Amino acid sequence: MKTQWSLIAALVIALLTAVFAVINVNSVQVNLLFSMVSIPLILLILGCTLLGGLIVGSFGIFRQYRLQREIKRLTTQLHTLQEEHTSTVEANADVTYDTTGSSSTGSTFDQDIEQPSSNPDRLSK
Protein backbone atom coordinates (compact mmCIF):
# COMPACT_ATOMS: atom_id res chain seq x y z
CA MET A 1 0.00 0.00 0.00
CA LYS A 2 2.87 2.38 0.82
CA THR A 3 4.43 1.73 -2.60
CA GLN A 4 1.17 2.62 -4.33
CA TRP A 5 0.90 5.94 -2.50
CA SER A 6 4.54 6.70 -3.29
CA LEU A 7 3.92 6.00 -6.97
CA ILE A 8 0.81 8.19 -7.01
CA ALA A 9 2.68 11.03 -5.28
CA ALA A 10 5.57 10.74 -7.76
CA LEU A 11 3.16 10.87 -10.70
CA VAL A 12 1.42 13.97 -9.30
CA ILE A 13 4.76 15.72 -8.78
CA ALA A 14 5.88 14.76 -12.31
CA LEU A 15 2.61 16.11 -13.73
CA LEU A 16 2.94 19.40 -11.84
CA THR A 17 6.56 19.74 -12.99
CA ALA A 18 5.57 19.08 -16.62
CA VAL A 19 2.75 21.65 -16.47
CA PHE A 20 5.07 24.21 -14.86
CA ALA A 21 7.72 23.56 -17.53
CA VAL A 22 5.25 23.88 -20.42
CA ILE A 23 4.00 27.23 -19.10
CA ASN A 24 7.58 28.60 -19.03
CA VAL A 25 8.83 28.33 -22.61
CA ASN A 26 10.81 31.57 -22.81
CA SER A 27 14.57 31.48 -23.34
CA VAL A 28 16.79 32.33 -20.39
CA GLN A 29 20.50 33.08 -19.99
CA VAL A 30 22.35 30.43 -17.93
CA ASN A 31 25.84 31.13 -16.58
CA LEU A 32 27.94 27.93 -16.69
CA LEU A 33 31.00 29.62 -15.06
CA PHE A 34 32.96 29.54 -18.31
CA SER A 35 30.29 30.79 -20.71
CA MET A 36 26.76 32.11 -20.99
CA VAL A 37 24.16 29.94 -22.73
CA SER A 38 20.67 30.87 -23.84
CA ILE A 39 18.28 27.88 -23.55
CA PRO A 40 14.51 27.51 -23.26
CA LEU A 41 13.32 27.46 -19.66
CA ILE A 42 11.31 24.28 -20.32
CA LEU A 43 14.54 22.38 -21.06
CA LEU A 44 16.21 23.82 -17.97
CA ILE A 45 13.32 22.84 -15.69
CA LEU A 46 13.00 19.33 -17.14
CA GLY A 47 16.77 18.83 -17.16
CA CYS A 48 17.17 19.89 -13.53
CA THR A 49 14.22 17.70 -12.50
CA LEU A 50 15.71 14.73 -14.33
CA LEU A 51 19.15 15.35 -12.80
CA GLY A 52 17.63 15.64 -9.32
CA GLY A 53 15.68 12.39 -9.83
CA LEU A 54 18.84 10.58 -10.93
CA ILE A 55 20.76 11.82 -7.89
CA VAL A 56 18.01 10.84 -5.44
CA GLY A 57 17.56 7.48 -7.20
CA SER A 58 21.28 6.71 -7.03
CA PHE A 59 21.32 7.45 -3.29
CA GLY A 60 18.32 5.15 -2.86
CA ILE A 61 19.99 2.36 -4.81
CA PHE A 62 23.18 2.75 -2.77
CA ARG A 63 21.22 2.66 0.51
CA GLN A 64 19.30 -0.44 -0.59
CA TYR A 65 22.55 -2.18 -1.61
CA ARG A 66 24.09 -1.37 1.79
CA LEU A 67 21.00 -2.68 3.64
CA GLN A 68 20.97 -5.91 1.57
CA ARG A 69 24.63 -6.45 2.43
CA GLU A 70 23.85 -5.91 6.14
CA ILE A 71 20.93 -8.38 5.95
CA LYS A 72 23.21 -10.98 4.38
CA ARG A 73 25.85 -10.46 7.10
CA LEU A 74 23.28 -10.71 9.90
CA THR A 75 21.70 -13.83 8.36
CA THR A 76 25.10 -15.51 8.23
CA GLN A 77 25.73 -14.52 11.85
CA LEU A 78 22.30 -15.87 12.86
CA HIS A 79 22.97 -19.25 11.22
CA THR A 80 26.36 -19.46 12.94
CA LEU A 81 24.83 -18.71 16.34
CA GLN A 82 22.03 -21.23 15.76
CA GLU A 83 24.58 -23.93 14.90
CA GLU A 84 26.58 -23.12 18.06
CA HIS A 85 23.40 -23.23 20.14
CA THR A 86 22.38 -26.57 18.61
CA SER A 87 25.80 -28.09 19.30
CA THR A 88 25.72 -26.80 22.88
CA VAL A 89 22.25 -28.25 23.47
CA GLU A 90 23.34 -31.61 22.05
CA ALA A 91 26.44 -31.60 24.26
CA ASN A 92 24.35 -30.83 27.34
CA ALA A 93 21.78 -33.50 26.46
CA ASP A 94 24.25 -36.16 27.58
CA VAL A 95 24.21 -34.85 31.16
CA THR A 96 21.44 -36.40 33.28
CA TYR A 97 19.76 -34.56 36.09
CA ASP A 98 17.80 -35.78 39.11
CA THR A 99 14.35 -34.36 38.45
CA THR A 100 12.75 -35.43 41.75
CA GLY A 101 14.66 -32.89 43.79
CA SER A 102 15.42 -35.38 46.57
CA SER A 103 18.83 -36.37 47.80
CA SER A 104 19.95 -39.52 49.53
CA THR A 105 21.88 -37.58 52.18
CA GLY A 106 18.96 -35.40 53.22
CA SER A 107 18.66 -31.69 53.15
CA THR A 108 21.60 -29.67 54.43
CA PHE A 109 19.15 -27.10 55.75
CA ASP A 110 17.70 -29.62 58.19
CA GLN A 111 21.15 -30.57 59.44
CA ASP A 112 22.15 -26.98 60.21
CA ILE A 113 19.14 -26.27 62.50
CA GLU A 114 19.93 -26.97 66.13
CA GLN A 115 17.35 -28.87 68.06
CA PRO A 116 16.48 -27.43 71.50
CA SER A 117 18.19 -29.35 74.22
CA SER A 118 16.92 -30.15 77.64
CA ASN A 119 20.09 -28.82 79.25
CA PRO A 120 19.08 -25.80 81.42
CA ASP A 121 22.59 -24.27 81.26
CA ARG A 122 22.42 -24.10 77.53
CA LEU A 123 19.06 -22.29 77.62
CA SER A 124 20.39 -19.55 79.91
CA LYS A 125 23.16 -18.56 77.58
Side-chain angles (χ1 to χ4, degrees):
M1 188 75 168
K2 182 179 176 183
T3 306
Q4 292 172 346
W5 283 111
S6 298
L7 182 62
I8 291 171
L11 289 174
V12 168
I13 290 171
L15 181 66
L16 290 174
T17 304
V19 169
F20 180 72
V22 169
I23 292 172
N24 295 293
V25 293
N26 299 335
S27 290
V28 292
Q29 292 286 327
V30 179
N31 186 357
L32 300 173
L33 296 178
F34 53 85
S35 70
M36 295 285 286
V37 180
S38 178
I39 59 173
L41 189 56
I42 187 171
L43 293 178
L44 184 64
I45 292 171
L46 292 178
C48 288
T49 304
L50 180 65
L51 186 62
L54 290 173
I55 291 171
V56 169
S58 64
F59 278 118
I61 289 171
F62 176 72
R63 181 173 178 249
Q64 187 173 6
Y65 170 74
R66 194 177 61 201
L67 289 174
Q68 289 288 13
R69 198 173 57 189
E70 180 74 10
I71 288 171
K72 186 176 181 180
R73 184 186 66 80
L74 290 174
T75 302
T76 304
Q77 184 179 2
L78 176 66
H79 289 305
T80 304
L81 290 173
Q82 285 176 339
E83 289 173 0
E84 288 176 7
H85 177 69
T86 302
S87 63
T88 304
V89 168
E90 289 172 355
N92 289 337
D94 296 335
V95 178
T96 57
Y97 294 100
D98 182 15
T99 58
T100 61
S102 63
S103 175
S104 60
T105 59
S107 174
T108 57
F109 180 73
D110 292 338
Q111 294 173 357
D112 291 340
I113 297 176
E114 293 182 17
Q115 298 297 327
S117 66
S118 59
N119 188 351
D121 292 332
R122 184 176 171 128
L123 290 176
S124 63
K125 289 183 182 179

PDB file of all heavy atoms in Angstrom, residues 73-89:
ATOM      1  N   ARG A  73      24.884 -10.256   6.024  1.00  0.00           N
ATOM      2  CA  ARG A  73      25.850 -10.460   7.100  1.00  0.00           C
ATOM      3  C   ARG A  73      25.149 -10.933   8.371  1.00  0.00           C
ATOM      4  O   ARG A  73      25.603 -11.871   9.032  1.00  0.00           O
ATOM      5  CB  ARG A  73      26.603  -9.164   7.384  1.00  0.00           C
ATOM      6  CG  ARG A  73      27.708  -9.319   8.427  1.00  0.00           C
ATOM      7  CD  ARG A  73      28.328  -7.989   8.788  1.00  0.00           C
ATOM      8  NE  ARG A  73      27.413  -7.088   9.468  1.00  0.00           N
ATOM      9  CZ  ARG A  73      27.111  -7.157  10.765  1.00  0.00           C
ATOM     10  NH1 ARG A  73      27.631  -8.104  11.517  1.00  0.00           N
ATOM     11  NH2 ARG A  73      26.283  -6.288  11.305  1.00  0.00           N
ATOM     12  N   LEU A  74      24.013 -10.330   8.696  1.00  0.00           N
ATOM     13  CA  LEU A  74      23.278 -10.712   9.898  1.00  0.00           C
ATOM     14  C   LEU A  74      22.667 -12.105   9.772  1.00  0.00           C
ATOM     15  O   LEU A  74      22.594 -12.850  10.754  1.00  0.00           O
ATOM     16  CB  LEU A  74      22.201  -9.678  10.206  1.00  0.00           C
ATOM     17  CG  LEU A  74      22.713  -8.322  10.689  1.00  0.00           C
ATOM     18  CD1 LEU A  74      21.557  -7.333  10.823  1.00  0.00           C
ATOM     19  CD2 LEU A  74      23.457  -8.455  12.000  1.00  0.00           C
ATOM     20  N   THR A  75      22.231 -12.479   8.572  1.00  0.00           N
ATOM     21  CA  THR A  75      21.696 -13.825   8.356  1.00  0.00           C
ATOM     22  C   THR A  75      22.786 -14.870   8.552  1.00  0.00           C
ATOM     23  O   THR A  75      22.553 -15.901   9.189  1.00  0.00           O
ATOM     24  CB  THR A  75      21.096 -13.936   6.938  1.00  0.00           C
ATOM     25  OG1 THR A  75      20.083 -12.940   6.788  1.00  0.00           O
ATOM     26  CG2 THR A  75      20.498 -15.307   6.697  1.00  0.00           C
ATOM     27  N   THR A  76      23.974 -14.593   8.039  1.00  0.00           N
ATOM     28  CA  THR A  76      25.100 -15.510   8.231  1.00  0.00           C
ATOM     29  C   THR A  76      25.438 -15.626   9.705  1.00  0.00           C
ATOM     30  O   THR A  76      25.671 -16.732  10.215  1.00  0.00           O
ATOM     31  CB  THR A  76      26.330 -15.007   7.443  1.00  0.00           C
ATOM     32  OG1 THR A  76      25.961 -14.856   6.076  1.00  0.00           O
ATOM     33  CG2 THR A  76      27.488 -15.972   7.565  1.00  0.00           C
ATOM     34  N   GLN A  77      25.437 -14.510  10.419  1.00  0.00           N
ATOM     35  CA  GLN A  77      25.731 -14.524  11.846  1.00  0.00           C
ATOM     36  C   GLN A  77      24.658 -15.299  12.609  1.00  0.00           C
ATOM     37  O   GLN A  77      24.970 -16.052  13.535  1.00  0.00           O
ATOM     38  CB  GLN A  77      25.821 -13.092  12.368  1.00  0.00           C
ATOM     39  CG  GLN A  77      26.217 -12.983  13.816  1.00  0.00           C
ATOM     40  CD  GLN A  77      26.303 -11.532  14.271  1.00  0.00           C
ATOM     41  OE1 GLN A  77      26.031 -10.604  13.519  1.00  0.00           O
ATOM     42  NE2 GLN A  77      26.691 -11.332  15.508  1.00  0.00           N
ATOM     43  N   LEU A  78      23.398 -15.147  12.214  1.00  0.00           N
ATOM     44  CA  LEU A  78      22.304 -15.871  12.857  1.00  0.00           C
ATOM     45  C   LEU A  78      22.463 -17.371  12.683  1.00  0.00           C
ATOM     46  O   LEU A  78      22.306 -18.141  13.638  1.00  0.00           O
ATOM     47  CB  LEU A  78      20.961 -15.410  12.304  1.00  0.00           C
ATOM     48  CG  LEU A  78      19.722 -16.150  12.815  1.00  0.00           C
ATOM     49  CD1 LEU A  78      19.525 -15.893  14.292  1.00  0.00           C
ATOM     50  CD2 LEU A  78      18.507 -15.739  12.028  1.00  0.00           C
ATOM     51  N   HIS A  79      22.784 -17.815  11.468  1.00  0.00           N
ATOM     52  CA  HIS A  79      22.965 -19.247  11.222  1.00  0.00           C
ATOM     53  C   HIS A  79      24.140 -19.797  12.026  1.00  0.00           C
ATOM     54  O   HIS A  79      24.057 -20.901  12.565  1.00  0.00           O
ATOM     55  CB  HIS A  79      23.165 -19.509   9.733  1.00  0.00           C
ATOM     56  CG  HIS A  79      21.917 -19.312   8.915  1.00  0.00           C
ATOM     57  ND1 HIS A  79      20.733 -19.962   9.183  1.00  0.00           N
ATOM     58  CD2 HIS A  79      21.673 -18.516   7.850  1.00  0.00           C
ATOM     59  CE1 HIS A  79      19.815 -19.585   8.320  1.00  0.00           C
ATOM     60  NE2 HIS A  79      20.363 -18.700   7.492  1.00  0.00           N
ATOM     61  N   THR A  80      25.208 -19.023  12.147  1.00  0.00           N
ATOM     62  CA  THR A  80      26.359 -19.457  12.941  1.00  0.00           C
ATOM     63  C   THR A  80      25.977 -19.607  14.404  1.00  0.00           C
ATOM     64  O   THR A  80      26.320 -20.618  15.040  1.00  0.00           O
ATOM     65  CB  THR A  80      27.509 -18.439  12.800  1.00  0.00           C
ATOM     66  OG1 THR A  80      27.829 -18.279  11.432  1.00  0.00           O
ATOM     67  CG2 THR A  80      28.729 -18.896  13.568  1.00  0.00           C
ATOM     68  N   LEU A  81      25.242 -18.639  14.942  1.00  0.00           N
ATOM     69  CA  LEU A  81      24.827 -18.714  16.340  1.00  0.00           C
ATOM     70  C   LEU A  81      23.845 -19.858  16.580  1.00  0.00           C
ATOM     71  O   LEU A  81      23.895 -20.518  17.625  1.00  0.00           O
ATOM     72  CB  LEU A  81      24.210 -17.386  16.776  1.00  0.00           C
ATOM     73  CG  LEU A  81      25.185 -16.216  16.909  1.00  0.00           C
ATOM     74  CD1 LEU A  81      24.431 -14.930  17.189  1.00  0.00           C
ATOM     75  CD2 LEU A  81      26.203 -16.486  17.991  1.00  0.00           C
ATOM     76  N   GLN A  82      22.967 -20.116  15.616  1.00  0.00           N
ATOM     77  CA  GLN A  82      22.032 -21.235  15.762  1.00  0.00           C
ATOM     78  C   GLN A  82      22.771 -22.562  15.765  1.00  0.00           C
ATOM     79  O   GLN A  82      22.428 -23.466  16.536  1.00  0.00           O
ATOM     80  CB  GLN A  82      20.995 -21.213  14.642  1.00  0.00           C
ATOM     81  CG  GLN A  82      19.932 -20.148  14.822  1.00  0.00           C
ATOM     82  CD  GLN A  82      18.971 -20.078  13.658  1.00  0.00           C
ATOM     83  OE1 GLN A  82      19.266 -20.530  12.558  1.00  0.00           O
ATOM     84  NE2 GLN A  82      17.804 -19.479  13.894  1.00  0.00           N
ATOM     85  N   GLU A  83      23.792 -22.697  14.922  1.00  0.00           N
ATOM     86  CA  GLU A  83      24.577 -23.934  14.902  1.00  0.00           C
ATOM     87  C   GLU A  83      25.323 -24.114  16.207  1.00  0.00           C
ATOM     88  O   GLU A  83      25.387 -25.230  16.749  1.00  0.00           O
ATOM     89  CB  GLU A  83      25.553 -23.919  13.729  1.00  0.00           C
ATOM     90  CG  GLU A  83      24.889 -24.074  12.381  1.00  0.00           C
ATOM     91  CD  GLU A  83      25.856 -23.888  11.220  1.00  0.00           C
ATOM     92  OE1 GLU A  83      27.051 -23.635  11.474  1.00  0.00           O
ATOM     93  OE2 GLU A  83      25.404 -23.988  10.070  1.00  0.00           O
ATOM     94  N   GLU A  84      25.892 -23.030  16.767  1.00  0.00           N
ATOM     95  CA  GLU A  84      26.579 -23.116  18.058  1.00  0.00           C
ATOM     96  C   GLU A  84      25.604 -23.505  19.156  1.00  0.00           C
ATOM     97  O   GLU A  84      25.928 -24.318  20.024  1.00  0.00           O
ATOM     98  CB  GLU A  84      27.245 -21.783  18.389  1.00  0.00           C
ATOM     99  CG  GLU A  84      28.449 -21.470  17.555  1.00  0.00           C
ATOM    100  CD  GLU A  84      29.019 -20.097  17.864  1.00  0.00           C
ATOM    101  OE1 GLU A  84      28.550 -19.452  18.828  1.00  0.00           O
ATOM    102  OE2 GLU A  84      29.933 -19.676  17.142  1.00  0.00           O
ATOM    103  N   HIS A  85      24.410 -22.921  19.127  1.00  0.00           N
ATOM    104  CA  HIS A  85      23.402 -23.234  20.138  1.00  0.00           C
ATOM    105  C   HIS A  85      22.983 -24.703  20.040  1.00  0.00           C
ATOM    106  O   HIS A  85      22.860 -25.389  21.057  1.00  0.00           O
ATOM    107  CB  HIS A  85      22.187 -22.327  19.971  1.00  0.00           C
ATOM    108  CG  HIS A  85      21.069 -22.625  20.911  1.00  0.00           C
ATOM    109  ND1 HIS A  85      21.163 -22.393  22.262  1.00  0.00           N
ATOM    110  CD2 HIS A  85      19.837 -23.155  20.704  1.00  0.00           C
ATOM    111  CE1 HIS A  85      20.039 -22.773  22.847  1.00  0.00           C
ATOM    112  NE2 HIS A  85      19.214 -23.233  21.906  1.00  0.00           N
ATOM    113  N   THR A  86      22.778 -25.180  18.816  1.00  0.00           N
ATOM    114  CA  THR A  86      22.377 -26.574  18.615  1.00  0.00           C
ATOM    115  C   THR A  86      23.456 -27.522  19.116  1.00  0.00           C
ATOM    116  O   THR A  86      23.161 -28.512  19.787  1.00  0.00           O
ATOM    117  CB  THR A  86      22.094 -26.837  17.122  1.00  0.00           C
ATOM    118  OG1 THR A  86      21.084 -25.935  16.690  1.00  0.00           O
ATOM    119  CG2 THR A  86      21.621 -28.266  16.904  1.00  0.00           C
ATOM    120  N   SER A  87      24.715 -27.224  18.830  1.00  0.00           N
ATOM    121  CA  SER A  87      25.798 -28.095  19.295  1.00  0.00           C
ATOM    122  C   SER A  87      25.926 -28.056  20.806  1.00  0.00           C
ATOM    123  O   SER A  87      26.213 -29.072  21.442  1.00  0.00           O
ATOM    124  CB  SER A  87      27.122 -27.710  18.631  1.00  0.00           C
ATOM    125  OG  SER A  87      27.492 -26.404  19.004  1.00  0.00           O
ATOM    126  N   THR A  88      25.672 -26.903  21.422  1.00  0.00           N
ATOM    127  CA  THR A  88      25.722 -26.798  22.882  1.00  0.00           C
ATOM    128  C   THR A  88      24.588 -27.590  23.519  1.00  0.00           C
ATOM    129  O   THR A  88      24.789 -28.283  24.514  1.00  0.00           O
ATOM    130  CB  THR A  88      25.634 -25.324  23.321  1.00  0.00           C
ATOM    131  OG1 THR A  88      26.664 -24.590  22.685  1.00  0.00           O
ATOM    132  CG2 THR A  88      25.754 -25.186  24.820  1.00  0.00           C
ATOM    133  N   VAL A  89      23.396 -27.506  22.943  1.00  0.00           N
ATOM    134  CA  VAL A  89      22.246 -28.252  23.472  1.00  0.00           C
ATOM    135  C   VAL A  89      22.497 -29.753  23.348  1.00  0.00           C
ATOM    136  O   VAL A  89      22.215 -30.518  24.279  1.00  0.00           O
ATOM    137  CB  VAL A  89      20.949 -27.842  22.742  1.00  0.00           C
ATOM    138  CG1 VAL A  89      19.813 -28.795  23.057  1.00  0.00           C
ATOM    139  CG2 VAL A  89      20.573 -26.421  23.115  1.00  0.00           C
TER     140      VAL A  89
END
